[in-house]
């Protein structure tokens, strides 16, 4: 019996190595190109935030006027870094959990190059003044159909991998990955058709409401499930424990699937849209706390009593920070959706922007960093070179995003909104009150940009396979636990 178990473990190890080897190039391509786009997004973020209180900064360059550079900043963040980091995690996790090597890595890699070319062209279009100006749909109209076509060339292979998986068990992470794979094209095509194709013949106000829904749906139905899938995979693997509660996992998944699609239209509260859509959006923004709480409790209970492991594992440290970020994001979103808060932040400085930064960086990006720190040593067969660089990346990212989102944007939005509501306060005074908060956003982005200098440099060294060979998990002091998982 012992020899059979040993033989099975050896076969499992060989299979994992084959899967990692088959996906090395597309996974590393998505991670490194995504990291490059993140660097671009952060530089543009520094410029865009400086433009708020210093409009003449780089004023001689028409490509970098305030509106264009802010839109380019968010587009690079969402479709350059966000989408590509998600693709890398999806194809690797699905292959590992399905126990299937990738037979089409070359196709995935080729389509990934096309995705980058299209995003580059779209970003240039924004800077040249050809963007739409619609939040999260900034690119020229022709870009979105091409991106969806590229997505099918990347994502279809993960669906096929799941379909031909070995064994009949479906892991929690696979629930979320499959949902994200099907939700992404639905959200993208719905936004494109109902805003860009039919808007000219329909109601422009409704198009604004659909755009608000699009932003929320893309976050909750694509970025969120990918990040949660990574957390549900990494936490048991690093701690050596099964997930705390299957029932909580089930409740969290179906809660997200049922509540997530309704959120978004609370952002246009007070518009001439049907009132029930606005209040349904506000209710969903509050109720989305339930699945977030299920995920957070499940992950944190799984790591209970493992503080030493959390301290030594970069993957788990970023993952836990991301899970806490999910909870903070949903609670903040629920509070901002209340009519009493919305009247102060709806048209004020940084209210929506701060919430989006909190979700995209404080939750999603932190979770993706954890996944990347876990996946890269396995696909490159090399260990991360420096624990110090990883710690600097973690703390600077954490301080930066908290400073930007909570203290500068959201607090600044309430201060600005309160001033705008007071009829006795001149507009110049209201704008002057925002000045220190706007400067704080620039400082915060500077911290985050510095953090990601360490990350990009470290990732580039791993892409060049300059790390040391190791069979142990990243920077852990004990051997990797043997788990009966993929």
């Amino acid at each position: 019996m012992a020899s059979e178990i040993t033989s099975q473990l050896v076969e499992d190890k060989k299979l994992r190595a084959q899967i990692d080897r088959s996906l090395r190039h597309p996974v590393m391509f998505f991670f490194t190109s995504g990291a490059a786009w993140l660097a671009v997004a952060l530089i543009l973020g520094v410029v865009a935030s400086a433009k708020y209180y210093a409009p003449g900064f780089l004023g001689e360059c028409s490509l970098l006027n305030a509106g264009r550079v802010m839109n380019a900043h968010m587009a690079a963040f969402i479709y350059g870094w966000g989408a590509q980091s998600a693709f890398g995690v999806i194809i690797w996790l699905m292959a590992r959990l399905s126990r299937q090597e990738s037979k089409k890595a070359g196709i995935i890699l080729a389509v990934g190059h096309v995705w980058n070319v299209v995003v580059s062209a779209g970003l240039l279009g924004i800077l040249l003044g050809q963007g739409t100006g619609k939040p999260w749909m900034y690119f020229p109209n022709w870009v979105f159909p091409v991106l969806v076509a590229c997505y099918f060339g990347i994502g279809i292979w993960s669906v096929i991998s799941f379909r031909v998986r070995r064994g009949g068990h479906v892991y929690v992470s696979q629930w979320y990955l499959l949902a994200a794979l099907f939700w992404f094209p639905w959200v993208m095509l719905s936004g494109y058709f109902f805003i860009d194709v039919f808007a000219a013949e329909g109601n422009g106000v409704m198009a604004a409401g659909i755009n608000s829904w699009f932003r929320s749906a893309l976050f909750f139905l694509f970025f969120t499930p990918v990040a949660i899938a990574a957390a549900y995979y990494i936490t048991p693997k690093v701690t050596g424990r099964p997930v705390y509660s299957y029932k909580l996992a089930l409740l969290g998944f179906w809660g997200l699937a049922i509540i997530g699609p309704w959120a978004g239209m609370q952002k246009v509260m007070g518009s001439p849209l049907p009132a029930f859509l606005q209040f349904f959006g506000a209710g969903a923004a509050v109720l989305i706390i339930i699945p977030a709480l299920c995920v957070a409790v499940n992950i944190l209970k799984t790591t209970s009593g493992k503080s030493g492991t959390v301290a030594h594992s970069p993957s788990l440290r970023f993952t836990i920070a991301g899970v806490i970020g999910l909870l903070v994001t949903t609670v903040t979103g629920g509070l901002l959706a209340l009519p009493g808060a919305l009247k102060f932040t709806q048209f004020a400085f940084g209210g929506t922007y701060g919430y989006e930064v909190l979700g995209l960086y404080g939750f999603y990006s932190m979770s993706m960093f954890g996944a990347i720190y876990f996946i890269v040593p396995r696909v490159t067969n090399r260990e991360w070179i420096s624990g110090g660089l990883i710690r600097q990346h973690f703390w600077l990212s954490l301080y930066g995003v908290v400073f930007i989102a909570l203290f500068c944007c959201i607090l600044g939005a309430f201060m600005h909104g309160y001033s705008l509501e007071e009829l006795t306060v001149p507009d110049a005074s209201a704008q002057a009150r925002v000045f220190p908060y706007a400067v704080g956003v620039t400082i915060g982005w500077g911290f985050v940009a510095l953090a990601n200098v360490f990350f990009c440099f470290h990732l580039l060294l791993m892409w060049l396979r300059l790390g040391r060979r190791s069979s142990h998990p990243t920077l852990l002091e004990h051997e990797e636990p043997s788990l009966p998982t993929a």
Side-chain angles (χ1 to χ4, degrees), residues 261-310:
W262 291 97
M265 288 201 183
Q266 76 278 2
K267 297 172 186 175
V268 291
M269 188 76 74
S271 68
L273 287 174
F276 79 92
L277 291 176
Q278 302 171 35
F279 285 101
F280 265 50
V286 174
L287 291 175
I288 202 75
I289 297 171
I290 296 173
L293 189 61
C294 292
V295 172
V297 169
N298 228 0
I299 297 298
L300 295 176
K301 290 292 286 185
T302 303
T303 61
S304 178
K306 291 279 188 174
S307 57
T309 304
V310 175

Side-chain angles (χ1 to χ4, degrees), residues 106-343:
I107 295 176
I108 297 173
L109 187 60
V111 178
H113 281 287
V114 177
W115 179 281
N116 276 277
V117 170
V118 174
V119 171
S120 301
L123 201 69
L124 183 60
I126 293 172
L127 296 176
L128 290 173
Q130 299 172 6
T132 64
K134 301 165 187 172
W136 289 42
M137 300 183 72
Y138 307 103
F139 291 135
N141 290 340
W142 65 268
V143 170
F144 280 91
V146 183
L147 288 182
V148 173
C150 291
Y151 165 79
F152 281 114
I154 296 167
I156 189 65
W157 307 111
S158 293
V159 177
I160 293 172
S161 178
F162 174 80
R163 182 67 182 83
V164 298
R165 67 191 183 279
R166 300 186 185 186
H169 186 71
V170 179
Y171 296 95
V172 174
S173 294
Q174 287 176 302
W175 305 347
Y176 285 98
L177 292 177
L178 279 175
L181 285 167
F182 285 102
W183 281 333
F184 182 82
W186 171 58
V187 172
M188 291 286 285
L189 291 174
S190 296
Y192 173 72
F193 281 112
F194 286 104
I195 297 175
D196 291 335
V197 176
F198 303 136
E201 301 176 1
N203 190 320
V205 176
M206 181 58 77
I210 295 172
N211 178 253
S212 297
W213 169 84
F214 174 86
R215 293 149 64 189
S216 179
L218 191 60
F219 176 72
F220 282 122
L221 301 182
F222 181 66
F223 292 124
T224 296
V226 173
I228 293 174
Y232 269 122
Y233 182 86
I234 291 170
T235 304
K237 292 289 284 186
V238 176
T239 60
R241 292 175 171 176
V243 172
Y244 172 73
S245 170
Y246 181 86
K247 291 182 179 179
L248 267 181
L250 196 64
L251 178 61
F253 174 78
W254 285 112
L256 180 65
I258 294 170
I259 299 170
W262 291 97
M265 288 201 183
Q266 76 278 2
K267 297 172 186 175
V268 291
M269 188 76 74
S271 68
L273 287 174
F276 79 92
L277 291 176
Q278 302 171 35
F279 285 101
F280 265 50
V286 174
L287 291 175
I288 202 75
I289 297 171
I290 296 173
L293 189 61
C294 292
V295 172
V297 169
N298 228 0
I299 297 298
L300 295 176
K301 290 292 286 185
T302 303
T303 61
S304 178
K306 291 279 188 174
S307 57
T309 304
V310 175
H312 285 99
S313 170
S315 306
L316 199 53
R317 190 185 316 145
F318 275 96
T319 298
I320 296 301
V323 168
I324 295 173
L326 169 63
L327 202 55
V328 174
T329 299
T330 53
V331 171
T332 303
L335 292 175
L336 292 178
L338 299 176
L342 198 60
K343 75 173 184 177

